[in-house]
Amino acid sequence: MAQKSDPKKQKKNTVNIKKGDTVKVIAGQDKGAEGKVIAVLREEQRVIVEGVNRVKRHTKVVQSGGRAGTTGGIITTEAPIHISNVMLVEGKGVTRVGYKREEVLKRRPDGSTYAGTRSVRISRRTGKEI
């Protein structure tokens, strides 16, 4: 008989950093650089940070039928960086991310309200909501 896997032991793709956060690079060639997160790639556990890990792509001139084609040249773009190499910036320095459950009033479609909880991100350094 096949054993079922325990859902608690499965690795989750939890990423504490969101699009729009300001992060500081803590490892790699861009160490010390700060920038805003442009995109989060959850499955690969990578983030694209503005102005960090810039790479050059050489593109070819493509001519299509009677339409205007793409112009060739060297395009500089940001490449993804691993999530473990960045740290969230809050206030003057970097901080770790924690979570806290908060009591809120929720509304049902019929208009009635009930007490519920929601998860909010907090700074481990200051304890304030991010």
Side-chain angles (χ1 to χ4, degrees), residues 14-35:
T14 56
V15 176
N16 295 330
I17 295 172
K18 292 183 178 182
K19 180 180 175 180
D21 285 347
T22 303
V23 294
K24 183 175 187 175
V25 179
I26 58 172
Q29 73 180 46
D30 292 316
K31 183 176 179 176
E34 287 188 19

Side-chain angles (χ1 to χ4, degrees), residues 52-99:
V52 173
N53 198 21
R54 298 187 47 93
V55 293
K56 293 188 176 192
R57 299 254 189 261
H58 296 258
T59 58
K60 218 168 142 178
V61 176
V62 178
Q63 294 179 353
S64 58
R67 298 182 186 166
T70 60
T71 58
I74 302 170
I75 299 169
T76 307
T77 59
E78 288 91 359
I81 185 170
H82 198 270
I83 201 90
S84 66
N85 294 335
V86 296
M87 203 165 182
L88 187 69
V89 173
E90 187 234 356
K92 293 181 181 176
V94 294
T95 184
R96 296 186 313 277
V97 179
Y99 290 91

